[in-house]
Amino acid sequence: MTNTAALRQQLYQDMSPLNLTPLWEVLHALVPPQPSSPCVPALWKYEQIKPFLKRAGEAITAEEAVRRVLILENPALRGQSAVTQSLYAGLQLILPGEVAPSHRHTQSALRFIVEGTGAYTAVDGERSTMHPGDFIITPSWTWHDHGNESTEPVVWLDGLDIPMIRFFDAGFAQNDIAKSQTVARAEGSSFARYGHNMAPVRGDAPFGATSPIFSYPYERSREALYQLERDAAMDPWDGVKLRYINPATGGSPMPTMATFMQRLPARFDGKSCRQTDGAVYSVVEGAGTAYIDGPAGSVRFDFEARDHFVVPSWHALRLASIAGCVLFSYSDRPVHQALGIHQEERIP
Ligand code: 1HN
């Protein structure tokens, strides 16, 4: 070792007991020239996952599990219950006759229905019946329970901001006394109040920064996408892509998560785009291909209905579809936007 190197090593070693460390050894990694996410792109084929959901249904009841969920873990973040650095994703199963007991937490949740019809989620005394493709919200700190009074298993994607809330050490949770909430309001009343470009004259932010609409039915989103496919110009990057909104603000439905629904028409061959927000995709209808480019190289995911995939921050995504498809996605974009750090690069 040279004299200088030895001098430095001795300095590091001697000050370490005082919890001191030299910035100059880590500066490059702390402020990289561009985002360098530890996350990797990943694909979960529903066909491969379904047998494990089924086995989970035999291994534990919804009540004992509280929530019977298989977590979609980013392969580069195993053990952290995270699909990206800031987001959680899982597939939840509820069997006929089961109840997932009422609780509340400060983490916000979204449900995106993947398979089966007729289970419900109850939020703040109002139930929403689930149909494939519906996007349902659980606002922060609202009581919620799920049940299945139908005759078929129901599976949905849970999207939560768990890693973000953990990062801020700001999480609280409580179990309810009752297993299921008493129904206090008719199903659909939140949608009747806020889902028609109208709002109550008084008291129109019952859940603070979160949308007052509990369920955004697929029937409505699908109709909008298919009409725009017929009648409007196609975006060369996104096809037809709409974002869900909090009707009271025009912003994202939840303060921490943005949600999107997009239609790629048949023979769509999209251009490539990268964004600072990492996103999780759920394939609703049809099939297609995602080409994802990042620092670790390129991957190609061939997806079909009910598959899920994750596109980490600043990875370029290109979408293509021969027969056409519909994709739901969610990301942490509202937080990037609130902090003024959101970036998007559309590659020509
Ligand atoms: C939760 O409350 C649900 O309510 C799903 O269905 C997944 C993951 C971690 C913590 C709470 C639900 C969850 C969760």
Side-chain angles (χ1 to χ4, degrees):
M1 232 190 299
T2 65
N3 224 350
T4 319
L7 188 82
R8 288 177 189 171
Q9 284 311 317
Q10 195 61 51
L11 169 64
Y12 304 165
Q13 199 182 318
D14 292 347
M15 67 185 177
S16 180
L18 296 179
N19 305 308
L20 296 171
T21 204
L23 171 64
W24 58 89
E25 293 288 345
V26 294
L27 185 59
H28 292 298
L30 281 185
V31 281
Q34 56 179 10
S36 65
S37 176
C39 303
V40 294
L43 170 71
W44 290 266
K45 296 293 288 177
Y46 195 66
E47 184 187 76
Q48 292 178 348
I49 290 176
K50 187 142 187 204
F52 294 106
L53 279 168
K54 223 172 150 214
R55 279 170 62 180
E58 291 153 9
I60 194 163
T61 64
E63 197 171 337
E64 193 189 348
V66 182
R67 298 295 185 262
R68 187 202 287 114
V69 180
L70 302 185
I71 303 175
L72 307 183
E73 283 198 320
N74 194 288
L77 304 176
R78 293 306 306 272
Q80 296 182 42
S81 304
V83 69
T84 68
Q85 295 261 74
S86 61
L87 296 172
Y88 162 102
L91 288 174
Q92 179 158 177
L93 166 70
I94 188 157
L95 294 169
E98 287 192 320
V99 163
S102 179
H103 69 187
R104 63 177 176 178
H105 38 72
T106 42
Q107 290 82 358
S108 295
L110 67 87
R111 329 280 169 198
F112 185 72
I113 317 312
V114 170
E115 185 174 31
T117 297
Y120 67 83
T121 186
V123 172
D124 198 46
E126 181 179 329
R127 287 185 180 182
S128 296
T129 301
M130 299 175 170
H131 316 84
D134 291 353
F135 157 53
I136 295 177
I137 288 179
T138 308
S140 174
W141 205 241
T142 51
W143 296 111
H144 55 284
D145 54 86
H146 317 300
N148 187 350
E149 294 173 349
S150 84
T151 54
E152 52 180 324
V154 175
V155 175
W156 65 82
L157 170 70
D158 284 315
L160 287 91
D161 53 12
I162 288 173
M164 221 184 294
I165 303 306
R166 182 165 61 199
F167 175 82
F168 290 116
D169 288 331
F172 293 85
Q174 264 182 353
N175 290 322
D176 206 346
I177 301 157
K179 201 159 78 173
S180 301
Q181 290 175 63
T182 313
V183 174
R185 273 174 289 113
E187 171 156 8
S189 35
S190 79
F191 197 80
R193 283 197 185 88
Y194 299 96
H196 301 280
N197 297 315
M198 302 182 91
V201 176
R202 272 175 284 277
D204 59 359
F207 304 103
T210 300
S211 173
I213 294 178
F214 293 143
S215 176
Y216 295 73
Y218 184 46
E219 207 184 351
R220 303 290 294 267
S221 332
R222 189 177 192 277
E223 188 186 341
L225 293 178
Y226 277 79
Q227 163 151 10
L228 292 171
E229 178 188 356
R230 283 192 308 271
D231 299 344
M234 198 60 51
D235 182 271
W237 287 269
D238 292 334
V240 180
K241 187 170 186 176
L242 296 175
R243 62 184 177 92
Y244 290 89
I245 60 164
N246 173 346
T249 64
S252 58
M254 284 157 289
T256 49
M257 293 182 284
T259 50
F260 307 89
M261 189 73 105
Q262 82 193 94
R263 163 86 185 147
L264 308 182
R267 294 174 298 283
F268 183 76
D269 191 15
K271 295 185 176 188
S272 183
C273 178
R274 56 183 179 175
Q275 324 210 322
T276 52
D277 50 326
V280 178
Y281 284 77
S282 181
V283 183
V284 190
E285 293 182 24
T289 305
Y291 300 89
I292 305 170
D293 276 321
S298 303
V299 290
R300 173 197 168 134
F301 293 154
D302 292 308
F303 58 75
E304 58 204 320
R306 305 189 178 105
D307 290 349
H308 293 83
F309 59 94
V310 57
V311 183
S313 166
W314 216 239
H315 281 57
L317 169 67
R318 186 165 79 76
L319 292 167
S321 179
I322 292 165
C325 64
V326 177
L327 303 173
F328 171 84
S329 59
Y330 69 98
S331 86
D332 54 359
R333 186 175 307 179
V335 182
H336 293 235
Q337 290 174 326
L339 301 181
I341 55 167
H342 186 255
Q343 301 243 10
E344 176 186 58
E345 184 188 7
R346 295 189 131 201
I347 298 145

